Amino acid sequence: MRQKLLTLICVGFALCACKNEIPRAIPQDPEMEAKIEKILSRMTLQEKVGQMTQLTSGAILEPGTHHVSKKGESILRKYKIGSVLNTMEDVADSTWAYREFIKEIQDICLDEMGIPCLYGLDQIHGASYTLGAALFPQEIGVASSFNDELPFVMGDVCAYETRACNVPWVFTPTLDLSRNQCWPRMWESFGEDPLVQSRMGVQLTLGLQGDNPNRIDSKHVAVSLKHFFAYGAAISGQDRTPSMVSPRELKEKFFPAFKASIEAGALTIMVNSSNNDGIPFHTNKELLTGWLKEGLNWDGMIVTDWADIRNVYERDHTTATYKEAVAASINAGVDMIMEPYSVKVCDYLVELVNEKKVPLSRVDDAVRRILRVKFRLGLFDDPYSGTLEDYPEFGSEQHVQSAYRAALESEVLLKNENSLLPLSKSDKILLLGPNANSMRTLGGGWNYSWQGEVADRQEFAACYNTIYEALDAKFDSVTYLPVLEYAPYGDFQTEIRGDYSQALRAARKADVVVIAIGENSYCETVGNINDLTLSSNQLELVKTLAQSGKPVVLILNEGRPRVIREIEPLAGAIVNVLLPGNYGGDALASLLCGEENFSAKLPYTYPKYVNRLNTYDYKLCENRATMGGLYNYDANIESQWPFAHGLSYTTFEYSNMRVDKSEFSAGDIIKVSIDVSNTGKVAGKEAVLLFSSDLYASVAPDVKRLRDYTKIYLEPGQTKTVSFDLKADDLSFVDHSLNWVLEEGEFRLACGSESVLVNCIKGR
Ligand code: BGC
């Protein structure tokens, strides 16, 4: 009777709780949940802690082989390890090699614990750690397309080619708003704008996971959104250094992308390595448990970044011992510990539970979340992802074409004075610059290796064209002079300089000088720099060649916008290819000769001065004319190119902007329409962007915010009407009590050259 009463109370409580509950981000499958409970009920503490531990492949691999070492097997068995990450020998490997290695791991784990291992890999812009995979532009290039179809396709192809390796989990999408252009991971993200980050993140998530997060099929993988969050707002611009973002701004600008992808079904999240206002993200319970798990009613799993619990203690000194750091992180909501080489953490966690410093219920919750990911991926049914024969489309022409089309839409035409471009195929081209003949620079980091430094090796580069090879195939006469190159090994900034006067002599015989400059590949802290200005060797190269009097075309190939103020006026045309991947050279050749048209726009503000780094959504006081009277209180924003700048070989005219209501209330939808015409001579795609400005607000409003975008194709002379359904609530902001509010008053909506005023008469 007692038992019955208790059950009734529990059921009653559950029903009440449900009433006011936020709906689950991912609806649960009761049958799956029952299986999870059954497994959990028979697990020992050691087994639970083992599930929560993730080692790097190197810790269990027999060096030089694709096999688990004897020592590795005994670690897996003794510590009941639940997850392994990484490529095997720090470089890309073949599908079959992954399959061989992961099968051995699965066989050991199933034999020891009856629970499959969760293998994770940094497949960042396509299956970037797999030989022969179709590699796309890095996220920054996908963002510059302003075409939401591209991240979906990239995710879909990446998932298929990753699962062909029997890897079911990837550490992407990166949703770090890049708010400091110095930050060496800017290129890994979708840029500086919260809306682009959210929308593209959702598409990449859906492409990778498919549309049913509860049953991920064998052609899809689980995502790990990263790095939660404000990682790209490092004050110093150096990797893994603190941010100082207020909770208000965290909620308004940094959280939405994570929230949107979680609501689209994202199964896991990786935490930001650093700290905000002194609190390491890994020990921030309010954010990990409060905002993510409880706030979104999300039953997914949180994984640390590389050795970051250790960093809480060793680097950040916010705990006095490593063991305390383990307790603080697990209690904050971390579920899986990426502690690549050491199992010490397992011993600590067992002790902490026995000492009641970490509740067993917290460990159980973490293990449930980990098992749930494994079930949702179908690993209990098939831990081998079928056989390699189930993946006939691996590296197919269709996948390659998708990557090539993405590269075409990612390269931004920044300047084209007197229509210098397109070039004629018969033009005699002199090609120079350290980025002209390198696959490494086109790919960037996470490209066959962590730093991307191996990408020019024959085994990786043979099938693809550098800028030089692609131009040479497309144009009649291309001469490449390697008078400035990056050192093949060592620091990514080291350059080898030759004789510029030889290049100047050659330029006098050419019709046009094309100079490919920018950055060599790098990743994470290795890419930290002290000066955002382009290297002096490269600036001088351009200045020297400009003396030839021949038209100069600059190709920027860079992971972040290096300051080029001094040489910009010397070039008639400038293209920023960002990091376009293996087909970036081919795409550039087609664009430069006019066979294809440019359609990309900058996903960030391109700075002109190293001490004037701003984003497009700055405050009004940062850019204002002289005040009348005694003091000159002016301020100015001066960028090289603004956010969303990008040209085409055709021209587009915007007209007739209109709204279906000029007065609106919270909850309304405002239909905004505009006519866009192709007024030039060639066909083209145009990304149409809708901005809003809140004219007065109780928190100083941003000068403008992107609210919607779409991309259209127009033949010459064609006009299309673009309509946006703008939710009134999208015009709200987060106030100091951390509430989303929509205030009454006027807003300006702007699109291209046009704008209209609308008035909020009833806010929220
Ligand atoms: C990076 C992550 C990456 C992880 C695993 C870390 O150093 O910050 O982005 O996913 O390593 O390789």
Side-chain angles (χ1 to χ4, degrees):
M1 185 61 191
R2 235 189 96 122
Q3 183 58 39
K4 218 172 177 183
L5 193 63
L6 195 67
T7 314
L8 282 175
I9 292 169
C10 288
V11 170
F13 178 76
L15 287 176
C16 295
C18 287
K19 257 192 180 167
N20 296 324
E21 244 178 33
I22 310 150
R24 280 192 183 281
I26 308 169
Q28 288 183 345
D29 170 350
E31 222 176 281
M32 188 186 290
E33 293 305 311
K35 287 183 191 163
I36 292 170
E37 291 309 319
K38 200 166 164 203
I39 295 177
L40 192 67
S41 68
R42 63 158 168 79
M43 286 172 82
T44 62
L45 179 57
Q46 179 72 60
E47 282 174 332
K48 291 176 182 173
V49 163
Q51 278 303 301
M52 295 169 69
T53 308
Q54 183 185 51
L55 296 178
T56 189
S57 58
I60 57 163
L61 184 81
E62 181 64 42
T65 73
H66 303 125
H67 301 290
V68 177
S69 63
K70 280 268 158 295
K71 189 172 156 225
E73 176 166 354
S74 72
I75 293 174
L76 289 175
R77 287 188 186 276
K78 179 167 178 215
Y79 289 93
K80 326 282 181 205
I81 299 300
S83 179
V84 175
L85 85 150
N86 236 335
T87 183
M88 285 157 279
E89 299 270 16
D90 299 333
V91 290
D93 226 319
S94 62
T95 44
W96 64 263
Y98 280 110
R99 282 190 161 263
E100 209 168 77
F101 183 51
I102 296 170
K103 178 171 186 314
E104 284 184 20
I105 297 174
Q106 293 298 26
D107 289 345
I108 294 166
C109 292
L110 288 167
D111 179 56
E112 183 65 38
M113 310 153 244
I115 300 174
C117 173
L118 181 60
Y119 200 98
L121 202 55
D122 289 283
Q123 303 278 52
I124 300 297
H125 55 123
S128 47
Y129 267 147
T130 307
L131 282 174
L135 299 191
F136 285 68
Q138 298 282 358
E139 268 188 29
I140 199 74
V142 174
S144 66
S145 74
F146 282 90
N147 178 352
D148 281 352
E149 285 168 23
L150 298 188
F152 180 86
V153 174
M154 172 161 93
D156 192 50
V157 171
C158 176
Y160 184 99
E161 299 195 342
T162 298
R163 207 67 195 255
C165 306
N166 190 22
V167 171
W169 185 28
V170 291
F171 304 129
T172 188
T174 299
L175 301 180
D176 300 317
L177 271 197
S178 295
R179 308 292 283 186
N180 185 325
Q181 287 89 336
C182 262
W183 189 50
R185 306 194 73 171
M186 175 164 206
W187 51 272
E188 292 182 54
S189 83
F190 292 114
E192 73 180 36
D193 175 64
L195 182 76
V196 177
Q197 202 76 235
S198 290
R199 292 239 309 242
M200 295 222 164
V202 165
Q203 290 309 312
L204 186 49
T205 297
L206 292 173
L208 286 161
Q209 287 199 167
D211 53 16
N212 185 355
N214 253 326
R215 291 258 179 285
I216 302 216
D217 65 37
S218 61
K219 303 294 183 292
H220 290 92
V221 294
V223 301
S224 189
L225 312 178
K226 65 190 193 183
H227 307 78
F228 186 74
F229 55 166
Y231 189 23
I235 306 161
S236 68
Q238 310 285 300
D239 186 37
R240 287 177 156 75
T241 60
S243 53
M244 196 73 188
V245 183
S246 70
R248 200 191 67 72
E249 217 187 339
L250 279 178
K251 187 165 178 183
E252 184 175 310
K253 294 191 178 165
F254 293 81
F255 193 51
F258 286 91
K259 179 171 182 283
S261 271
I262 283 185
E263 286 166 353
L267 293 187
T268 81
I269 282 192
M270 189 186 290
V271 184
N272 172 359
S273 181
S274 190
N275 70 72
N276 192 52
D277 194 11
I279 304 176
F281 284 92
H282 282 82
T283 57
N284 194 325
K285 187 170 182 185
E286 186 189 345
L287 298 180
L288 299 186
T289 299
W291 287 32
L292 277 179
K293 291 181 172 175
E294 292 172 0
L296 299 178
N297 200 357
W298 178 64
D299 64 6
M301 172 192 102
I302 297 181
V303 61
T304 71
D305 201 347
W306 189 268
D308 271 330
I309 293 191
R310 187 185 287 273
N311 281 335
V312 163
Y313 149 65
E314 272 184 10
R315 186 193 62 195
D316 291 338
H317 291 215
T318 54
T319 61
T321 64
Y322 182 19
K323 188 170 160 183
E324 279 173 37
V326 175
S329 309
I330 302 302
N331 286 336
V334 163
D335 302 309
M336 183 178 278
I337 308 165
M338 189 191 288
E339 180 51 85
Y341 300 103
S342 159
V343 281
K344 191 76 206 136
V345 71
C346 298
D347 299 334
Y348 284 152
L349 198 43
V350 169
E351 285 169 26
L352 285 163
V353 172
N354 290 333
E355 291 159 9
K356 306 227 172 322
K357 291 192 175 133
V358 171
L360 183 60
S361 57
R362 176 70 269 278
V363 168
D364 284 347
D365 173 57
V367 176
R368 260 187 212 107
R369 289 168 183 271
I370 293 162
L371 293 177
R372 195 175 287 124
V373 175
K374 295 183 177 186
F375 270 108
R376 283 174 165 163
L377 278 164
L379 296 184
F380 282 90
D381 297 329
D382 176 11
Y384 309 112
S385 309
T387 67
L388 197 48
E389 283 66 53
D390 297 326
Y391 298 84
E393 292 302 311
F394 178 89
S396 69
E397 187 50 30
Q398 203 193 334
H399 289 185
V400 167
Q401 276 306 314
S402 299
Y404 169 69
R405 303 294 320 166
L408 272 177
E409 287 202 40
S410 75
E411 302 188 353
V412 194
L413 179 61
L414 293 171
K415 178 176 180 182
N416 195 16
E417 249 173 26
N418 304 321
S419 298
L420 172 57
L421 301 180
L423 301 175
S424 155
K425 283 194 182 168
S426 58
D427 281 340
K428 274 170 71 184
I429 297 175
L430 175 67
L431 179 65
L432 303 158
N435 296 59
N437 197 24
S438 160
M439 286 314 300
R440 171 177 175 180
T441 62
L442 291 178
W446 299 123
N447 196 48
Y448 302 116
S449 67
W450 180 41
Q451 296 297 317
E453 81 288 3
V454 298
D456 281 303
R457 280 198 213 155
Q458 196 57 12
E459 73 234 62
F460 303 120
C463 310
Y464 313 112
N465 292 321
T466 62
I467 291 177
Y468 169 48
E469 289 159 348
L471 293 191
D472 196 40
K474 190 69 82 181
F475 291 87
D476 297 345
S477 165
V478 180
T479 306
Y480 167 58
L481 286 183
V483 291
L484 180 63
E485 290 184 291
Y486 297 115
Y489 303 106
D491 181 80
F492 81 101
Q493 299 190 79
T494 309
E495 296 169 340
I496 303 168
R497 182 178 166 156
D499 178 10
Y500 285 7
S501 58
Q502 178 206 359
L504 183 55
R505 282 195 300 277
R508 295 202 165 109
K509 294 190 204 125
D511 295 322
V512 59
V513 181
V514 178
I515 314 179
I517 51 179
E519 297 188 311
N520 204 356
S521 76
Y522 54 81
C523 200
E524 301 185 38
T525 49
V526 176
N528 283 342
I529 48 172
N530 296 325
D531 186 350
L532 194 56
T533 314
L534 190 73
S535 83
S536 53
N537 280 332
Q538 298 192 39
L539 293 176
E540 257 181 66
L541 178 69
V542 177
K543 286 178 190 166
T544 307
L545 270 294
Q547 289 167 21
S548 68
K550 295 296 167 76
V552 171
V553 178
L554 293 185
I555 308 298
L556 308 178
N557 170 204
E558 50 190 12
R560 64 196 138 192
R562 302 300 291 256
V563 170
I564 55 162
R565 182 182 68 254
E566 290 175 27
I567 56 169
E568 180 275 328
L570 307 179
I574 304 179
V575 177
N576 188 354
V577 300
L578 301 124
L579 299 179
N582 280 342
Y583 307 100
D586 303 309
L588 180 68
S590 303
L591 289 162
L592 287 184
C593 75
E595 281 174 6
E596 297 282 352
N597 198 350
F598 289 93
S599 67
K601 297 187 173 187
L602 283 177
Y604 52 66
T605 306
Y606 203 114
K608 192 168 185 178
Y609 301 93
V610 293
N611 288 335
R612 198 64 188 90
L613 302 183
N614 61 274
T615 49
Y616 83 95
D617 49 349
Y618 55 83
K619 300 293 180 197
L620 288 150
C621 62
E622 294 181 71
N623 194 26
R624 59 189 308 266
T626 310
M627 199 183 200
L630 192 54
Y631 295 116
N632 174 9
Y633 288 138
D634 72 343
N636 66 70
I637 291 277
E638 208 185 331
S639 321
Q640 191 72 60
W641 291 286
F643 171 78
H645 173 73
L647 307 171
S648 157
Y649 289 144
T650 190
T651 42
F652 297 100
E653 246 175 54
Y654 289 66
S655 61
N656 197 18
M657 185 170 179
R658 55 221 183 258
V659 285
D660 69 345
K661 47 179 88 60
S662 53
E663 294 193 332
F664 65 94
S665 306
D668 279 353
I669 289 183
I670 311 162
K671 191 174 266 312
V672 186
S673 304
I674 187 143
D675 299 339
V676 185
S677 309
N678 181 345
T679 50
K681 293 195 175 60
V682 292
K685 283 186 174 178
E686 169 74 341
V688 182
L689 277 57
L690 177 68
F691 290 93
S692 76
S693 305
D694 191 347
L695 300 193
Y696 293 91
S698 57
V699 172
D702 297 331
V703 67
K704 61 178 180 173
R705 291 289 300 275
L706 183 66
R707 297 305 183 192
D708 205 347
Y709 59 88
T710 187
K711 199 164 189 182
I712 55 169
Y713 173 84
L714 291 172
E715 292 289 345
Q718 193 183 5
T719 297
K720 276 187 186 163
T721 298
V722 173
S723 290
F724 298 106
D725 284 335
L726 177 65
K727 290 195 196 104
D729 294 319
D730 286 349
L731 300 173
S732 54
F733 63 90
V734 175
D735 70 8
H736 282 284
S737 315
L738 298 193
N739 294 316
W740 282 96
V741 292
L742 174 66
E743 288 182 347
E744 286 155 25
E746 274 190 319
F747 291 80
R748 186 186 309 109
L749 304 180
C751 194
S753 53
E754 301 289 285
S755 67
V756 289
L757 288 177
V758 288
N759 193 8
C760 177
I761 51 170
K762 194 164 182 306
R764 190 196 316 269

Coordinates of all heavy atoms in Angstrom, one line a residue, residues 400-427:
V400 N 32.1 15.9 -54.9 CA 33.1 16.9 -55.3 C 32.4 18.1 -55.9 O 32.8 19.2 -55.6 CB 34.0 16.2 -56.3 CG1 34.9 17.2 -57.1 CG2 34.9 15.1 -55.6
Q401 N 31.4 17.9 -56.7 CA 30.7 19.1 -57.3 C 30.1 20.0 -56.3 O 30.1 21.2 -56.4 CB 29.6 18.6 -58.3 CG 30.1 18.2 -59.7 CD 30.9 19.4 -60.3 OE1 30.4 20.6 -60.3 NE2 32.1 19.1 -60.9
S402 N 29.6 19.3 -55.2 CA 29.0 20.2 -54.1 C 30.1 21.0 -53.5 O 29.8 22.2 -53.2 CB 28.3 19.3 -53.1 OG 27.3 18.5 -53.6
A403 N 31.2 20.4 -53.3 CA 32.3 21.2 -52.6 C 32.8 22.3 -53.5 O 33.1 23.4 -53.1 CB 33.5 20.2 -52.3
Y404 N 32.8 22.0 -54.8 CA 33.3 23.0 -55.8 C 32.3 24.2 -55.9 O 32.7 25.3 -55.9 CB 33.5 22.3 -57.2 CG 33.7 23.3 -58.3 CD1 34.9 24.1 -58.4 CD2 32.7 23.5 -59.3 CE1 35.0 25.0 -59.4 CE2 32.9 24.4 -60.3 CZ 34.0 25.2 -60.4 OH 34.2 26.1 -61.4
R405 N 31.0 23.8 -55.9 CA 30.0 24.9 -56.0 C 30.0 25.7 -54.7 O 29.8 26.9 -54.8 CB 28.5 24.3 -56.1 CG 28.2 23.4 -57.3 CD 28.2 23.9 -58.6 NE 27.7 25.3 -58.9 CZ 27.9 26.0 -60.0 NH1 28.6 25.4 -61.0 NH2 27.4 27.2 -60.1
A406 N 30.3 25.1 -53.6 CA 30.4 25.9 -52.3 C 31.6 26.8 -52.4 O 31.5 28.0 -52.0 CB 30.5 24.9 -51.2
A407 N 32.7 26.3 -53.0 CA 33.9 27.2 -53.1 C 33.5 28.4 -54.0 O 33.9 29.6 -53.7 CB 35.1 26.4 -53.7
L408 N 32.8 28.2 -55.1 CA 32.4 29.3 -56.0 C 31.6 30.3 -55.3 O 31.8 31.5 -55.5 CB 31.6 28.7 -57.1 CG 32.2 28.2 -58.4 CD1 31.1 27.6 -59.3 CD2 33.0 29.2 -59.1
E409 N 30.8 29.9 -54.4 CA 29.9 30.9 -53.7 C 30.6 31.5 -52.5 O 30.0 32.3 -51.8 CB 28.6 30.2 -53.3 CG 27.7 30.0 -54.5 CD 26.2 29.8 -54.1 OE1 25.7 30.6 -53.2 OE2 25.5 29.0 -54.7
S410 N 31.8 31.0 -52.2 CA 32.4 31.5 -51.0 C 33.4 32.7 -51.2 O 33.8 33.3 -50.3 CB 33.1 30.4 -50.3 OG 34.3 30.0 -51.0
E411 N 33.9 32.8 -52.5 CA 35.0 33.8 -52.7 C 34.4 35.2 -53.0 O 33.6 35.4 -53.8 CB 35.8 33.2 -53.9 CG 36.4 31.8 -53.5 CD 37.4 31.3 -54.5 OE1 37.6 31.8 -55.6 OE2 37.9 30.2 -54.2
V412 N 35.0 36.1 -52.3 CA 34.3 37.5 -52.2 C 35.1 38.5 -53.1 O 36.3 38.6 -52.9 CB 34.3 38.0 -50.8 CG1 33.4 39.2 -50.7 CG2 33.9 37.0 -49.8
L413 N 34.4 39.1 -54.0 CA 35.0 40.2 -54.8 C 34.9 41.5 -54.0 O 33.8 42.0 -53.8 CB 34.3 40.3 -56.2 CG 34.8 41.4 -57.1 CD1 36.3 41.2 -57.5 CD2 34.0 41.4 -58.4
L414 N 36.0 42.0 -53.6 CA 36.0 43.2 -52.7 C 36.2 44.5 -53.4 O 35.7 45.5 -53.0 CB 37.1 43.1 -51.6 CG 37.0 41.9 -50.6 CD1 38.3 41.8 -49.8 CD2 35.8 42.2 -49.7
K415 N 36.9 44.4 -54.6 CA 37.2 45.6 -55.3 C 37.3 45.3 -56.8 O 37.9 44.3 -57.1 CB 38.5 46.2 -54.7 CG 38.9 47.5 -55.4 CD 40.2 48.0 -54.7 CE 40.6 49.3 -55.4 NZ 41.8 49.9 -54.7
N416 N 36.8 46.1 -57.6 CA 37.0 45.8 -59.1 C 36.9 47.1 -59.9 O 36.0 47.4 -60.6 CB 35.9 44.9 -59.6 CG 36.3 44.3 -60.9 OD1 37.4 44.4 -61.4 ND2 35.3 43.7 -61.6
E417 N 38.0 47.9 -59.7 CA 38.0 49.3 -60.3 C 38.0 49.2 -61.8 O 38.8 48.4 -62.4 CB 39.3 50.0 -59.9 CG 39.1 51.1 -58.9 CD 40.4 51.6 -58.4 OE1 41.5 51.4 -59.1 OE2 40.4 52.1 -57.3
N418 N 37.2 50.0 -62.5 CA 37.2 50.0 -63.9 C 37.0 48.6 -64.5 O 37.6 48.3 -65.6 CB 38.4 50.7 -64.5 CG 38.6 52.1 -63.9 OD1 37.7 52.8 -63.7 ND2 39.9 52.4 -63.6
S419 N 36.3 47.8 -63.9 CA 36.0 46.4 -64.4 C 37.3 45.7 -64.8 O 37.3 45.2 -65.9 CB 35.0 46.4 -65.5 OG 33.8 47.0 -65.0
L420 N 38.3 45.8 -64.0 CA 39.6 45.1 -64.3 C 39.3 43.6 -64.5 O 39.9 42.9 -65.3 CB 40.6 45.4 -63.2 CG 41.9 44.6 -63.2 CD1 42.6 44.8 -64.5 CD2 42.8 45.0 -62.1
L421 N 38.5 43.1 -63.7 CA 38.0 41.7 -63.8 C 36.7 41.7 -64.5 O 35.9 42.6 -64.4 CB 37.9 41.0 -62.4 CG 39.1 41.0 -61.5 CD1 38.8 40.3 -60.2 CD2 40.3 40.3 -62.2
P422 N 36.3 40.6 -65.3 CA 37.1 39.4 -65.5 C 38.3 39.7 -66.4 O 38.3 40.6 -67.3 CB 36.1 38.5 -66.1 CG 35.1 39.3 -66.7 CD 35.0 40.6 -65.9
L423 N 39.3 38.8 -66.3 CA 40.5 38.9 -67.1 C 40.2 38.1 -68.4 O 39.3 37.2 -68.4 CB 41.7 38.2 -66.5 CG 42.1 38.9 -65.1 CD1 43.2 38.0 -64.5 CD2 42.5 40.3 -65.3
S424 N 40.8 38.5 -69.5 CA 40.7 37.7 -70.7 C 41.6 36.5 -70.7 O 42.7 36.6 -70.1 CB 41.1 38.7 -71.9 OG 41.5 37.9 -73.0
K425 N 41.1 35.4 -71.3 CA 41.9 34.2 -71.2 C 43.3 34.4 -71.9 O 44.2 33.6 -71.7 CB 41.2 33.0 -71.8 CG 40.1 32.5 -70.9 CD 39.6 31.2 -71.3 CE 38.5 30.7 -70.4 NZ 37.7 29.6 -70.9
S426 N 43.3 35.4 -72.8 CA 44.6 35.6 -73.5 C 45.5 36.5 -72.8 O 46.7 36.8 -73.3 CB 44.3 36.0 -75.0 OG 43.6 37.2 -74.9
D427 N 45.1 37.1 -71.7 CA 46.0 38.0 -70.9 C 47.2 37.3 -70.5 O 47.1 36.1 -70.0 CB 45.3 38.5 -69.7 CG 44.3 39.7 -70.0 OD1 44.5 40.3 -71.0 OD2 43.4 39.9 -69.2

